[in-house]
Amino acid sequence: MTSKKTFNLAVDIALVAITAWGSIQNGWFNLPNLVSWLGLAGVIGLAKKWQGNFIFNGIQNLSAAIVAGRSKVYGDMFTSLYYLGTQFFGFKEWQKHKGKDGLVKVDQSTNWKVVVFAIFVGFFLLGGLSWWLGGVYIFWDAFNNATAIIAQYMQVVQRKRSSWILWLITNAISLCLFLSVGVPQMAIMYFVFSLNAVRGWLNWGE
C-alpha cells in the first residue's frame, strides 16, 4: 500500500510539473491552459477511482469543445460535448458501484469484437460529419474520436479497466493533432493524459 501511494504521488507531481512547464511556455491566462489544468485534475481523479473527477471533467469538456471548434478539429469538438453528457450518467453509475473504501468497483471483462465494431462505425460517422463541416486532419480526427467515444463509455458508464488502452491510443493521436494545428498547451495536456492512462491501467488492475 505504501509503495502504491508513493508511486501515485510521484506520478501526480510529474504530471503537475509538466503541465506547469507548458503553462510557463504557452501562457497562463488563456482557454487552452484552463482546459489543461481542469483535465489534469479530472484524469488524476479517474486514475484513482475517485468519483469527484466528474466535476472537473465536466467543466473541462465544455472548455475543450470551444478550443477544438476554434481550431476546426470538429470531431474533437463533438466528442468533448459527448463527454459532457456522459458525465451525468457516469456519476450515477459510479455512485451505485462503490466499494467499502468509497472508490468505484472496476469491471475487468471486455468484449473486444464489439469494441472494434463500434470504433469502425464511429469512424465513418464522425469522418463524414467532419468532412461536411470542412474540418482538418479528417482521417485521424475521426479515428481518434471514435476510439475516444468508446473509451469514455467503457470508463465512466461501464467502469472497465480496458478503457485505459483506448485512452492511451486516443491521447497519443490528440497530442499530434493539436501540435499540428498550433495549440501546444493542448498537446501537452494530451501528453500528460497519455502518462496518466498508463497509471490508470495499473491502478485499475486491483
Side-chain angles (χ1 to χ4, degrees):
M1 184 62 71
T2 301
S3 60
K4 177 186 174 183
K5 288 183 177 180
T6 302
F7 167 72
N8 275 292
L9 178 60
V11 173
D12 290 344
I13 293 172
L15 299 187
V16 169
I18 293 169
T19 304
W21 176 83
S23 298
I24 292 170
Q25 302 300 313
N26 303 305
W28 289 92
F29 303 106
N30 54 66
L31 189 57
N33 190 56
L34 174 64
V35 171
S36 67
W37 282 101
L38 288 169
L40 175 63
V43 298
I44 286 177
L46 278 167
K48 295 182 178 181
K49 299 183 279 188
W50 174 55
Q51 190 178 8
N53 78 82
F54 290 101
I55 298 172
F56 294 98
N57 281 326
I59 301 172
Q60 190 265 359
N61 297 154
L62 182 58
S63 303
I66 295 172
V67 174
R70 288 177 176 175
S71 303
K72 293 188 176 182
V73 186
Y74 293 121
D76 203 77
M77 179 186 73
F78 286 114
T79 303
S80 292
L81 293 175
Y82 159 76
Y83 292 162
L84 180 61
T86 61
Q87 302 299 343
F88 299 100
F89 294 101
F91 186 87
K92 292 180 180 179
E93 286 300 310
W94 282 37
Q95 186 68 33
K96 292 187 290 186
H97 296 91
K98 282 185 177 180
K100 293 181 180 180
D101 57 1
L103 303 178
V104 70
K105 295 179 180 178
V106 174
D107 184 348
Q108 302 288 346
S109 64
T110 302
N111 186 333
W112 284 107
K113 290 182 179 179
V114 173
V115 171
V116 171
F117 177 75
I119 291 173
F120 182 79
V121 172
F123 169 79
F124 282 100
L125 290 177
L126 283 169
L129 181 61
S130 186
W131 175 80
W132 181 65
L133 290 171
V136 295
Y137 303 105
I138 293 174
F139 177 88
W140 288 112
D141 186 32
F143 175 74
N144 178 49
N145 286 287
T147 59
I149 286 172
I150 305 306
Q152 178 76 356
Y153 182 79
M154 290 171 64
Q155 186 168 79
V156 304
V157 178
Q158 297 182 320
R159 302 162 286 103
K160 291 187 179 291
R161 183 192 185 199
S162 53
S163 63
W164 289 109
I165 298 174
L166 296 184
W167 277 129
L168 182 59
I169 296 170
T170 296
N171 294 329
I173 296 174
S174 293
L175 187 163
C176 296
L177 279 174
F178 279 99
L179 276 179
S180 298
V181 298
V183 189
Q185 186 63 21
M186 292 289 284
I188 289 171
M189 180 187 75
Y190 283 113
F191 175 70
V192 166
F193 284 6
S194 298
L195 297 179
N196 190 70
V198 177
R199 186 256 294 269
W201 167 261
L202 296 173
N203 280 354
W204 282 37
E206 301 174 348

